[in-house]
Structure formats: structure tokens, C-alpha cells
Amino acid sequence: NLNMQEKFPEIKKESVQHYSIGQKIRSENLDGSFCESEIVNIIDSQKVITVLGYNYEIKCPIPILILDKKIPGNLAAYRPELNVIFAYNDTSPEVMHHEIIHSLEMTKQIPEQLNIFYKKVLEVLPDNSNLQPNFRKNIHEFVADAYSKNGLIETLKNKGLYDEFINLTRYIFQ
């Protein structure tokens, strides 16, 4: 008589975390210190995408925890170790979209073609451009910015790179 893990060894053991309004959350700040916040609302990532007017489906929506206190240094944050997004009542739609894209793309293997494309974009867009430099940090920030920040989206379109970006990142929605 085999248990589920023995029957299906490809299924990884997971810790399912349940959240509730009023629950206290302890999170690490960018400087390594800790901050305690309270959950004031919980929103489903697919519902947020729909309200924001995007037409893609999130196969496995995750909770967005609306917290009462800001985590210093973050406008919002996707936490891959918990598979949740921490946000606030005043988090902008652009930032919320950015974090939802992180929740999709950081759970998948980055194709080598996308790495090559990212290097090309860094060469084509000079450091002294008027774009926010966040996309230069790493490929994850680039993907999230290229979906959520109008300035980068328009620049990629003007350089004839946007369609290639969309084609190379379709995998995040599968």
C-alpha cells in the first residue's frame, strides 16, 4: 500500500500556507532587518489582472496580501519562497502588474534565447537613456519591466524589439 509520494515521486512535497485577514506577517527588509505587518486584505492575482484590463489567464493564481505597514525599500514584493505578493492599499497598478509578472516568470526556466535577447537589449539601449534603470539589474527585472512599464514597452516597440520580446516570453503564461 503506497502513499501518494511513493505513487507519484515527481510530485514535490509542498508546504501550503493559508493566510487570513488580521494575521501578522513577519518579513525581511532589503537591509536584512525584520518588519511585522498585518494582513488587511487578500486578493487573487487573476482578479487583479482582470481588473487592470489585461486579457491573459494565470494558470495558478496566487494570493496578494495587502499589508498595513510598508516593508522599507519595497513598493510591493513577490516572495518566491512563499509564492505570495506583498502589497499595500496604495500600490500602483503598474507596480502590481510588475509583481504579478514576477510571480509568473520566476517559477519557470528562462530559455537561452531570452538570455541572448536580453544581452542584445542591453547593448541597444544605452545606460544614459531616459529609461528607469531597474531592467538592467537582471533578466527577471527586465521581463517584469517590459510587461509593466510603459516607457520600456514604447522603447522596445520603437526599436522593433517588442514583438520578439512577446514571442520569447509566451512561456510564462503556459
Side-chain angles (χ1 to χ4, degrees):
N1 208 6
L2 298 173
N3 67 29
M4 289 298 276
Q5 189 67 37
E6 292 167 332
K7 283 183 188 174
F8 306 102
E10 68 278 5
I11 297 175
K12 295 180 180 143
K13 291 181 182 179
E14 294 182 14
S15 170
V16 176
Q17 184 79 357
H18 297 281
Y19 300 98
S20 59
I21 294 173
Q23 181 180 345
K24 301 282 186 193
I25 296 286
R26 183 180 151 111
S27 58
E28 189 172 359
N29 300 325
L30 293 176
D31 66 3
S33 64
F34 287 88
C35 167
E36 188 171 282
S37 301
E38 183 177 315
I39 299 172
V40 295
N41 200 356
I42 302 171
I43 309 168
D44 177 273
S45 60
Q46 180 64 61
K47 289 180 182 167
V48 171
I49 284 301
T50 302
V51 167
L52 293 177
Y54 297 101
N55 62 356
Y56 51 83
E57 178 186 352
I58 298 176
K59 302 276 190 234
C60 297
I62 66 165
I64 299 171
L65 307 180
I66 306 300
L67 305 177
D68 68 338
K69 290 184 202 149
K70 293 196 178 199
I71 300 167
N74 283 305
L75 299 173
Y78 170 61
R79 295 297 174 104
E81 73 280 8
L82 301 173
N83 201 29
V84 299
I85 295 170
F86 292 161
Y88 316 98
N89 280 323
D90 63 348
T91 299
S92 73
E94 178 185 280
V95 170
M96 192 69 82
H97 189 212
H98 178 95
E99 297 305 330
I100 291 170
I101 293 297
H102 274 317
S103 78
L104 298 172
E105 62 87 19
M106 290 182 85
T107 60
K108 305 228 170 38
Q109 181 71 37
I110 296 169
E112 185 55 32
Q113 290 172 308
L114 182 56
N115 279 312
I116 294 166
F117 178 77
Y118 176 55
K119 289 174 185 165
K120 179 169 88 173
V121 168
L122 291 176
E123 289 173 13
V124 170
L125 302 178
D127 280 339
N128 62 357
S129 72
N130 61 355
L131 294 171
Q132 295 174 346
N134 189 56
F135 76 93
R136 295 182 176 285
K137 287 181 184 174
N138 58 53
I139 195 163
H140 299 292
E141 293 301 334
F142 167 69
V143 171
D145 280 1
Y147 270 102
S148 64
K149 295 195 175 172
N150 289 331
L152 183 55
I153 292 167
E154 287 306 311
T155 300
L156 291 173
K157 285 179 179 178
N158 292 340
K159 300 281 185 185
L161 298 169
Y162 187 72
D163 289 341
E164 184 177 357
F165 167 76
I166 293 299
N167 287 330
L168 288 171
T169 57
R170 288 190 195 285
Y171 73 97
I172 71 174
F173 300 106
Q174 297 172 353

